[in-house]
Amino acid sequence: MPEKEREALLRRLKQSVRSDNEERDEKYHREVAAHEREDAISKEMARLSIFARFILWLKSKFKGRSTREVYVAMRVKALKRKINSKFPGITGFETRDLSPMLAEEVFRIYTLAVPLREFYSCVWTEPIDLQNIIVALIEARVSRAVRSMDDLISNDKLQEIVRAGGSKEAIKEEVGRRLTAYIDGIPKAVFASVREDMKPFERTRDMVLYPFASFFQLFHFTPTAEDLNKRTYFKNASAMLCLEHLERLHHALYAVTTIPEHFQLADDIVSYVSVAASEEEVAGAGDEAPRVESAPIEEELPEVREAPGEPGDGGEEVEGSDGEEEESQETSTGAAAARARLEELLPKMIERCRALYEKMPFEALIQYFMKDPYYRLVHEFQETPTKELYVSVLRLRFVAEIERIYPHIRKRVLEKEIQALFAGKTLRTFRNYREYASIDYKKLGLPFFSHTRSVMLLFNYVNWFYKGYVQEAVQLLDKNVLGQNRITKDRLVQYAESVEDTAERIRQFDYSLSSDSEDGRTFQRLRFTLAQDTGHQKMYRTLVLQKDREVRSILDRGIEALNGLSRVFQDLLQSSSPNIRASMQNHYFVRGQPVSLDDIVRERIDHMRRFVRLLDQVIRLERA
């Protein structure tokens, strides 16, 4: 997913999750522009009857105010009548306060909402929580859900991509294509059903996570857990201080009313949040709004060590198995109780919210105390982007998986290619330029020799294949083709000698680390005192870096010599000289079979290029 799209999705997720302690940056009303307000007043006044206009004009003359000002004042008075008719005694208009009756009505919802917070905190505390439940729901509703790389692409296919010269990006592209095909194959109804089944929880979220405590404090009362089943005593609260809370409360209540009257809680959602809530309870979290760590989509099986003896022979029991079984049973029992609690309390809370929304004239109250009948409350709901979230999660999951397994895949492919290239050959290793078991590299934080594998392969290739196999083609070309072409012959001999010299240089390099040489004696002395002397560690690092630079120079010269030899061979194959072309068609006995020189040279070119590609990948792996 492109970076901008990921950031936008993350913002939407963050807007979808919040706790009751967080500050809200949302607005529950829309600022009405001055011209919109004037237009609305003009349209309403235009619809008045002639008699109403006359009365309006008459009042404006008596009060010395414009007809528009008088009309707005009349609208405010109408709000007062509406409030009194719908909920008498809710406010003292002259004292500009709110009656405790409002707090008592809200408290009836509070007693049901607080016990539900344990479920909502499992989903809407952090984006990862919401992400986990959405992914889990989709995977449960898809017949063959893709949960890991193995479900999307086989290990053999990954190795095939790498073997064909594909990089990490090539694997990502292939996985991306397969992931797109998988997503396109999921019916749209699956995403729609998850989105629809999440609505009862989404639309009750703001009510359950409403900051009841700060609202009740305005009525001079701070509730505690012991107050849930007791009668409480509120006092009058300042209406102006309550306005922001009333806007948020009105929005939360309205959201609940958008839930269909005959709704059903999806069984898989209820099961998920019930298990998550019970796990948190077992873990010992006792906060009012408990936090559940992101519930895993796939439970990892604990590592089990078998006791001595054969299974069932009465040996020792697995350590900790009783505790795990007891905890699992406790979680299962807690999940059943949590489920029953959720299924009982949520419908009751929704019913009370509907009743309070119909009963309480929130909008009229807010408009009256704002002295603005055109003050507009808004209700905007952001549905969870189920498909985009699911795609994003899978992409991030697989990218991380590719980053993790790519070095192992590349290493496995290289090992197979090495085995195929050197089939039947015994690879000679070095006595001195190697990793030493006596040095704890990880503990001491020390580097080891970097190019032990690549230089070993180059040394063995020269000894096993160049001498004899490739050298045979060099000798045939030197004797039978290049007698009259001194320039090409000199290039051929130069590269051939350079390849032969590479093996000797490698042998001498390894000898330089033996106890018979000065560097070798220094190295051998240092490696036994590294753990005791930090000064020796610094000298050791310097020596290792120096030897790696030397071996890198040898590798570069060896690769250049093999590539140069391949270029000379290729130039001869593409030569326009009639004499050279005729000579290349001559046949020679190779292993008892007549083969044209042209075919001999082509075969050696392919072999050398294959080895150079392999060696280059090994070197890059060593650097990584």
mmCIF file of all heavy atoms in Angstrom, residues 300-337:
data_model
loop_
_atom_site.group_PDB
_atom_site.id
_atom_site.type_symbol
_atom_site.label_atom_id
_atom_site.label_comp_id
_atom_site.label_asym_id
_atom_site.label_seq_id
_atom_site.Cartn_x
_atom_site.Cartn_y
_atom_site.Cartn_z
ATOM 1 N N GLU A 300 -0.440 -18.870 19.450
ATOM 2 C CA GLU A 300 0.763 -19.664 19.314
ATOM 3 C C GLU A 300 0.734 -20.770 20.352
ATOM 4 O O GLU A 300 0.441 -20.558 21.516
ATOM 5 C CB GLU A 300 2.002 -18.786 19.523
ATOM 6 C CG GLU A 300 2.184 -17.762 18.422
ATOM 7 C CD GLU A 300 3.492 -17.031 18.608
ATOM 8 O OE1 GLU A 300 4.222 -17.373 19.558
ATOM 9 O OE2 GLU A 300 3.765 -16.140 17.800
ATOM 10 N N LEU A 301 1.070 -21.989 19.914
ATOM 11 C CA LEU A 301 1.100 -23.109 20.836
ATOM 12 C C LEU A 301 2.323 -23.007 21.722
ATOM 13 O O LEU A 301 3.425 -22.767 21.232
ATOM 14 C CB LEU A 301 1.137 -24.426 20.046
ATOM 15 C CG LEU A 301 -0.099 -24.713 19.196
ATOM 16 C CD1 LEU A 301 0.111 -25.986 18.406
ATOM 17 C CD2 LEU A 301 -1.320 -24.855 20.073
ATOM 18 N N PRO A 302 2.179 -23.190 23.029
ATOM 19 C CA PRO A 302 3.347 -23.127 23.898
ATOM 20 C C PRO A 302 4.279 -24.281 23.640
ATOM 21 O O PRO A 302 3.852 -25.365 23.233
ATOM 22 C CB PRO A 302 2.726 -23.216 25.303
ATOM 23 C CG PRO A 302 1.423 -23.900 25.110
ATOM 24 C CD PRO A 302 0.937 -23.488 23.745
ATOM 25 N N GLU A 303 5.561 -24.034 23.837
ATOM 26 C CA GLU A 303 6.547 -25.089 23.642
ATOM 27 C C GLU A 303 6.389 -26.121 24.740
ATOM 28 O O GLU A 303 6.376 -25.813 25.918
ATOM 29 C CB GLU A 303 7.957 -24.498 23.691
ATOM 30 C CG GLU A 303 9.017 -25.547 23.424
ATOM 31 C CD GLU A 303 10.400 -24.935 23.471
ATOM 32 O OE1 GLU A 303 10.486 -23.710 23.618
ATOM 33 O OE2 GLU A 303 11.376 -25.683 23.372
ATOM 34 N N VAL A 304 6.235 -27.384 24.363
ATOM 35 C CA VAL A 304 6.035 -28.456 25.333
ATOM 36 C C VAL A 304 7.232 -29.375 25.282
ATOM 37 O O VAL A 304 7.609 -29.858 24.212
ATOM 38 C CB VAL A 304 4.750 -29.260 25.029
ATOM 39 C CG1 VAL A 304 4.595 -30.396 26.017
ATOM 40 C CG2 VAL A 304 3.541 -28.355 25.080
ATOM 41 N N ARG A 305 7.822 -29.620 26.427
ATOM 42 C CA ARG A 305 8.956 -30.530 26.517
ATOM 43 C C ARG A 305 8.476 -31.828 27.134
ATOM 44 O O ARG A 305 7.936 -31.835 28.233
ATOM 45 C CB ARG A 305 10.067 -29.912 27.374
ATOM 46 C CG ARG A 305 10.609 -28.629 26.780
ATOM 47 C CD ARG A 305 11.723 -28.088 27.624
ATOM 48 N NE ARG A 305 12.257 -26.862 27.031
ATOM 49 C CZ ARG A 305 13.224 -26.139 27.579
ATOM 50 N NH1 ARG A 305 13.771 -26.512 28.711
ATOM 51 N NH2 ARG A 305 13.654 -25.040 26.982
ATOM 52 N N GLU A 306 8.692 -32.912 26.443
ATOM 53 C CA GLU A 306 8.243 -34.192 26.955
ATOM 54 C C GLU A 306 9.084 -34.614 28.143
ATOM 55 O O GLU A 306 10.293 -34.398 28.191
ATOM 56 C CB GLU A 306 8.321 -35.247 25.862
ATOM 57 C CG GLU A 306 7.332 -35.003 24.726
ATOM 58 C CD GLU A 306 7.343 -36.136 23.745
ATOM 59 O OE1 GLU A 306 8.071 -37.121 23.990
ATOM 60 O OE2 GLU A 306 6.636 -36.040 22.752
ATOM 61 N N ALA A 307 8.420 -35.228 29.105
ATOM 62 C CA ALA A 307 9.135 -35.735 30.260
ATOM 63 C C ALA A 307 9.915 -36.972 29.864
ATOM 64 O O ALA A 307 9.630 -37.616 28.843
ATOM 65 C CB ALA A 307 8.145 -36.058 31.374
ATOM 66 N N PRO A 308 10.935 -37.337 30.641
ATOM 67 C CA PRO A 308 11.713 -38.530 30.320
ATOM 68 C C PRO A 308 10.825 -39.754 30.260
ATOM 69 O O PRO A 308 9.857 -39.881 31.006
ATOM 70 C CB PRO A 308 12.715 -38.615 31.490
ATOM 71 C CG PRO A 308 12.789 -37.224 32.037
ATOM 72 C CD PRO A 308 11.454 -36.631 31.813
ATOM 73 N N GLY A 309 11.176 -40.674 29.414
ATOM 74 C CA GLY A 309 10.407 -41.901 29.273
ATOM 75 C C GLY A 309 9.436 -41.825 28.127
ATOM 76 O O GLY A 309 9.219 -40.790 27.526
ATOM 77 N N GLU A 310 8.846 -42.910 27.788
ATOM 78 C CA GLU A 310 7.893 -42.975 26.691
ATOM 79 C C GLU A 310 6.566 -42.386 27.127
ATOM 80 O O GLU A 310 6.239 -42.389 28.326
ATOM 81 C CB GLU A 310 7.683 -44.440 26.275
ATOM 82 C CG GLU A 310 8.911 -45.072 25.661
ATOM 83 C CD GLU A 310 9.331 -44.379 24.406
ATOM 84 O OE1 GLU A 310 8.430 -43.959 23.654
ATOM 85 O OE2 GLU A 310 10.547 -44.220 24.177
ATOM 86 N N PRO A 311 5.751 -41.857 26.182
ATOM 87 C CA PRO A 311 4.452 -41.311 26.544
ATOM 88 C C PRO A 311 3.600 -42.355 27.239
ATOM 89 O O PRO A 311 3.486 -43.487 26.775
ATOM 90 C CB PRO A 311 3.851 -40.901 25.196
ATOM 91 C CG PRO A 311 5.025 -40.727 24.308
ATOM 92 C CD PRO A 311 6.055 -41.711 24.783
ATOM 93 N N GLY A 312 3.012 -41.932 28.364
ATOM 94 C CA GLY A 312 2.111 -42.836 29.072
ATOM 95 C C GLY A 312 2.808 -43.805 29.991
ATOM 96 O O GLY A 312 2.180 -44.735 30.501
ATOM 97 N N ASP A 313 4.123 -43.629 30.227
ATOM 98 C CA ASP A 313 4.814 -44.587 31.078
ATOM 99 C C ASP A 313 4.849 -44.158 32.534
ATOM 100 O O ASP A 313 5.552 -44.739 33.341
ATOM 101 C CB ASP A 313 6.241 -44.818 30.572
ATOM 102 C CG ASP A 313 7.099 -43.571 30.715
ATOM 103 O OD1 ASP A 313 6.539 -42.515 31.055
ATOM 104 O OD2 ASP A 313 8.327 -43.665 30.499
ATOM 105 N N GLY A 314 4.115 -43.102 32.859
ATOM 106 C CA GLY A 314 4.076 -42.660 34.245
ATOM 107 C C GLY A 314 5.229 -41.776 34.616
ATOM 108 O O GLY A 314 5.523 -41.608 35.792
ATOM 109 N N GLY A 315 5.909 -41.196 33.629
ATOM 110 C CA GLY A 315 7.036 -40.317 33.901
ATOM 111 C C GLY A 315 6.562 -39.005 34.477
ATOM 112 O O GLY A 315 5.388 -38.804 34.768
ATOM 113 N N GLU A 316 7.490 -38.045 34.578
ATOM 114 C CA GLU A 316 7.149 -36.751 35.156
ATOM 115 C C GLU A 316 6.170 -36.015 34.262
ATOM 116 O O GLU A 316 6.202 -36.144 33.041
ATOM 117 C CB GLU A 316 8.410 -35.892 35.297
ATOM 118 C CG GLU A 316 9.339 -36.390 36.365
ATOM 119 C CD GLU A 316 10.533 -35.456 36.479
ATOM 120 O OE1 GLU A 316 10.391 -34.282 36.113
ATOM 121 O OE2 GLU A 316 11.578 -35.900 36.931
ATOM 122 N N GLU A 317 5.306 -35.234 34.886
ATOM 123 C CA GLU A 317 4.373 -34.425 34.114
ATOM 124 C C GLU A 317 5.091 -33.210 33.565
ATOM 125 O O GLU A 317 6.089 -32.765 34.120
ATOM 126 C CB GLU A 317 3.207 -33.977 35.005
ATOM 127 C CG GLU A 317 2.340 -35.151 35.463
ATOM 128 C CD GLU A 317 1.169 -34.678 36.278
ATOM 129 O OE1 GLU A 317 1.059 -33.453 36.470
ATOM 130 O OE2 GLU A 317 0.361 -35.513 36.705
ATOM 131 N N VAL A 318 4.573 -32.690 32.474
ATOM 132 C CA VAL A 318 5.173 -31.507 31.865
ATOM 133 C C VAL A 318 5.051 -30.340 32.827
ATOM 134 O O VAL A 318 3.953 -30.035 33.314
ATOM 135 C CB VAL A 318 4.475 -31.168 30.535
ATOM 136 C CG1 VAL A 318 5.087 -29.920 29.935
ATOM 137 C CG2 VAL A 318 4.597 -32.347 29.580
ATOM 138 N N GLU A 319 6.152 -29.667 33.077
ATOM 139 C CA GLU A 319 6.158 -28.576 34.040
ATOM 140 C C GLU A 319 5.277 -27.439 33.560
ATOM 141 O O GLU A 319 5.382 -26.995 32.424
ATOM 142 C CB GLU A 319 7.589 -28.082 34.236
ATOM 143 C CG GLU A 319 7.694 -26.990 35.269
ATOM 144 C CD GLU A 319 9.127 -26.529 35.436
ATOM 145 O OE1 GLU A 319 10.012 -27.170 34.844
ATOM 146 O OE2 GLU A 319 9.345 -25.542 36.160
ATOM 147 N N GLY A 320 4.389 -26.989 34.415
ATOM 148 C CA GLY A 320 3.547 -25.845 34.075
ATOM 149 C C GLY A 320 2.265 -26.213 33.355
ATOM 150 O O GLY A 320 1.444 -25.360 33.094
ATOM 151 N N SER A 321 2.095 -27.521 32.990
ATOM 152 C CA SER A 321 0.904 -27.882 32.229
ATOM 153 C C SER A 321 -0.367 -27.717 33.052
ATOM 154 O O SER A 321 -1.410 -27.330 32.550
ATOM 155 C CB SER A 321 1.021 -29.318 31.718
ATOM 156 O OG SER A 321 1.130 -30.213 32.809
ATOM 157 N N ASP A 322 -0.278 -28.020 34.369
ATOM 158 C CA ASP A 322 -1.457 -27.863 35.224
ATOM 159 C C ASP A 322 -1.883 -26.405 35.297
ATOM 160 O O ASP A 322 -3.060 -26.081 35.231
ATOM 161 C CB ASP A 322 -1.147 -28.385 36.633
ATOM 162 C CG ASP A 322 -1.064 -29.913 36.656
ATOM 163 O OD1 ASP A 322 -1.518 -30.516 35.668
ATOM 164 O OD2 ASP A 322 -0.545 -30.463 37.634
ATOM 165 N N GLY A 323 -0.885 -25.521 35.428
ATOM 166 C CA GLY A 323 -1.195 -24.093 35.509
ATOM 167 C C GLY A 323 -1.818 -23.583 34.235
ATOM 168 O O GLY A 323 -2.770 -22.800 34.261
ATOM 169 N N GLU A 324 -1.292 -24.049 33.090
ATOM 170 C CA GLU A 324 -1.841 -23.608 31.804
ATOM 171 C C GLU A 324 -3.259 -24.122 31.617
ATOM 172 O O GLU A 324 -4.145 -23.405 31.126
ATOM 173 C CB GLU A 324 -0.948 -24.090 30.672
ATOM 174 C CG GLU A 324 0.415 -23.420 30.649
ATOM 175 C CD GLU A 324 1.323 -24.025 29.591
ATOM 176 O OE1 GLU A 324 0.850 -24.932 28.879
ATOM 177 O OE2 GLU A 324 2.478 -23.594 29.491
ATOM 178 N N GLU A 325 -3.486 -25.393 32.020
ATOM 179 C CA GLU A 325 -4.822 -25.962 31.879
ATOM 180 C C GLU A 325 -5.818 -25.247 32.787
ATOM 181 O O GLU A 325 -6.943 -24.946 32.386
ATOM 182 C CB GLU A 325 -4.763 -27.455 32.220
ATOM 183 C CG GLU A 325 -6.104 -28.171 32.020
ATOM 184 C CD GLU A 325 -5.988 -29.658 32.317
ATOM 185 O OE1 GLU A 325 -4.850 -30.163 32.421
ATOM 186 O OE2 GLU A 325 -7.042 -30.300 32.448
ATOM 187 N N GLU A 326 -5.364 -24.930 34.009
ATOM 188 C CA GLU A 326 -6.233 -24.222 34.946
ATOM 189 C C GLU A 326 -6.554 -22.825 34.437
ATOM 190 O O GLU A 326 -7.698 -22.365 34.508
ATOM 191 C CB GLU A 326 -5.540 -24.138 36.308
ATOM 192 C CG GLU A 326 -6.393 -23.487 37.388
ATOM 193 C CD GLU A 326 -5.668 -23.461 38.720
ATOM 194 O OE1 GLU A 326 -4.673 -24.200 38.875
ATOM 195 O OE2 GLU A 326 -6.097 -22.685 39.591
ATOM 196 N N GLU A 327 -5.534 -22.151 33.888
ATOM 197 C CA GLU A 327 -5.759 -20.803 33.352
ATOM 198 C C GLU A 327 -6.693 -20.848 32.162
ATOM 199 O O GLU A 327 -7.564 -19.990 32.000
ATOM 200 C CB GLU A 327 -4.417 -20.190 32.951
ATOM 201 C CG GLU A 327 -4.544 -18.756 32.470
ATOM 202 C CD GLU A 327 -3.185 -18.153 32.143
ATOM 203 O OE1 GLU A 327 -2.177 -18.593 32.732
ATOM 204 O OE2 GLU A 327 -3.146 -17.249 31.298
ATOM 205 N N SER A 328 -6.528 -21.879 31.288
ATOM 206 C CA SER A 328 -7.395 -22.021 30.121
ATOM 207 C C SER A 328 -8.839 -22.254 30.548
ATOM 208 O O SER A 328 -9.772 -21.681 29.977
ATOM 209 C CB SER A 328 -6.900 -23.177 29.256
ATOM 210 O OG SER A 328 -7.765 -23.408 28.181
ATOM 211 N N GLN A 329 -9.018 -23.093 31.570
ATOM 212 C CA GLN A 329 -10.363 -23.365 32.066
ATOM 213 C C GLN A 329 -10.980 -22.118 32.689
ATOM 214 O O GLN A 329 -12.158 -21.816 32.505
ATOM 215 C CB GLN A 329 -10.307 -24.496 33.086
ATOM 216 C CG GLN A 329 -11.684 -24.954 33.575
ATOM 217 C CD GLN A 329 -11.582 -26.150 34.501
ATOM 218 O OE1 GLN A 329 -10.493 -26.640 34.766
ATOM 219 N NE2 GLN A 329 -12.705 -26.623 35.001
ATOM 220 N N GLU A 330 -10.135 -21.374 33.404
ATOM 221 C CA GLU A 330 -10.611 -20.140 34.028
ATOM 222 C C GLU A 330 -11.019 -19.126 32.964
ATOM 223 O O GLU A 330 -12.046 -18.444 33.101
ATOM 224 C CB GLU A 330 -9.495 -19.567 34.902
ATOM 225 C CG GLU A 330 -9.942 -18.479 35.846
ATOM 226 C CD GLU A 330 -8.833 -18.056 36.789
ATOM 227 O OE1 GLU A 330 -7.894 -18.847 36.988
ATOM 228 O OE2 GLU A 330 -8.911 -16.927 37.318
ATOM 229 N N THR A 331 -10.220 -19.035 31.894
ATOM 230 C CA THR A 331 -10.552 -18.120 30.796
ATOM 231 C C THR A 331 -11.848 -18.523 30.119
ATOM 232 O O THR A 331 -12.688 -17.683 29.791
ATOM 233 C CB THR A 331 -9.409 -18.095 29.765
ATOM 234 O OG1 THR A 331 -8.213 -17.671 30.403
ATOM 235 C CG2 THR A 331 -9.735 -17.150 28.618
ATOM 236 N N SER A 332 -12.034 -19.841 29.908
ATOM 237 C CA SER A 332 -13.251 -20.332 29.262
ATOM 238 C C SER A 332 -14.482 -20.025 30.104
ATOM 239 O O SER A 332 -15.507 -19.574 29.591
ATOM 240 C CB SER A 332 -13.121 -21.839 29.030
ATOM 241 O OG SER A 332 -14.288 -22.347 28.444
ATOM 242 N N THR A 333 -14.371 -20.248 31.411
ATOM 243 C CA THR A 333 -15.490 -19.947 32.308
ATOM 244 C C THR A 333 -15.769 -18.448 32.334
ATOM 245 O O THR A 333 -16.923 -18.006 32.285
ATOM 246 C CB THR A 333 -15.168 -20.437 33.732
ATOM 247 O OG1 THR A 333 -14.855 -21.833 33.686
ATOM 248 C CG2 THR A 333 -16.341 -20.193 34.662
ATOM 249 N N GLY A 334 -14.699 -17.667 32.384
ATOM 250 C CA GLY A 334 -14.858 -16.211 32.390
ATOM 251 C C GLY A 334 -15.464 -15.695 31.101
ATOM 252 O O GLY A 334 -16.262 -14.756 31.121
ATOM 253 N N ALA A 335 -15.102 -16.330 29.971
ATOM 254 C CA ALA A 335 -15.643 -15.904 28.681
ATOM 255 C C ALA A 335 -17.147 -16.150 28.616
ATOM 256 O O ALA A 335 -17.908 -15.329 28.091
ATOM 257 C CB ALA A 335 -14.934 -16.635 27.541
ATOM 258 N N ALA A 336 -17.584 -17.290 29.159
ATOM 259 C CA ALA A 336 -19.023 -17.593 29.158
ATOM 260 C C ALA A 336 -19.787 -16.584 30.011
ATOM 261 O O ALA A 336 -20.861 -16.100 29.627
ATOM 262 C CB ALA A 336 -19.250 -19.012 29.677
ATOM 263 N N ALA A 337 -19.218 -16.237 31.176
ATOM 264 C CA ALA A 337 -19.872 -15.248 32.045
ATOM 265 C C ALA A 337 -19.871 -13.872 31.402
ATOM 266 O O ALA A 337 -20.867 -13.132 31.472
ATOM 267 C CB ALA A 337 -19.160 -15.200 33.403
#
